[in-house]
Amino acid sequence: MRTFVIFALLAVAAADKRPLTTYGAPGPAPRQAAGPQIAIIRDDRVHPDAQGLYSLDLETEDGIKRQESGGPGGSQQGSVSFTFPDGQVFDLTFVADAGGYQPQSSFLPVAPEFPHPIPQFVLDQIAFAAQEDAARARGESRGPSASYGAPQ
């Protein structure tokens, strides 16, 4: 067995004649295909001041516009607009505050209206469940139907 291990080690050492390489810094990133360079024609920024107020107003030569401002407490508001290749103008305004991010745009999907009113028997069942919950919270029992456990 010892002879086999020695021969195996010799075979591995003899077979691997590649020079050892060391890690070096990565080379430059491969050059991407150059696309059109779009100039920024307006870049007005007010970095956060002592109170946390800031603003941003950008516009590029291809018609993309972005405006944003915000203040203490994380409230922000702004807008984005650009033109699609087919000529449609995309406009989006938003408010981001304690109520969350609230975008508005005619391009955003809207959930359909609920197709019909809630039937009365469903409303009655919801009210009954609320009454049972309130009674259980007060420690009242409504007979055998108040518990849904296994029979005893």
Side-chain angles (χ1 to χ4, degrees):
M1 179 69 174
R2 195 175 347 168
T3 305
F4 176 74
V5 172
I6 292 172
F7 281 122
L9 288 174
L10 287 173
V12 169
D16 193 6
K17 295 293 185 193
R18 296 176 294 160
L20 293 176
T21 56
T22 59
Y23 177 76
R31 189 147 168 90
Q32 301 281 333
Q37 296 293 316
I38 308 299
I40 297 174
I41 57 177
R42 185 175 57 233
D43 185 352
D44 297 327
R45 298 174 193 231
V46 175
H47 294 282
D49 61 13
Q51 290 80 31
L53 299 172
Y54 77 96
S55 66
L56 168 70
D57 191 4
L58 295 172
E59 184 176 356
T60 61
E61 70 179 339
D62 63 351
I64 297 173
K65 297 177 185 174
R66 179 175 175 189
Q67 297 174 336
E68 184 177 322
S69 62
S75 63
Q76 300 171 329
Q77 57 278 335
S79 64
V80 175
S81 69
F82 60 87
T83 303
F84 285 110
D86 66 1
Q88 294 183 81
V89 176
F90 175 86
D91 285 313
L92 178 128
T93 59
F94 69 89
V95 172
D97 57 15
Y101 180 71
Q102 303 149 38
Q104 293 186 354
S105 173
S106 61
F107 284 88
L108 295 176
V110 177
E113 294 289 327
F114 195 67
H116 54 80
I118 299 174
Q120 187 59 45
F121 75 91
V122 173
L123 296 173
D124 293 343
Q125 186 63 35
I126 292 170
F128 179 72
Q131 290 172 354
E132 281 188 328
D133 290 345
R136 189 173 302 120
R138 291 189 304 267
E140 297 174 6
S141 177
R142 294 191 170 226
S145 66
S147 173
Y148 300 102
Q152 299 176 1

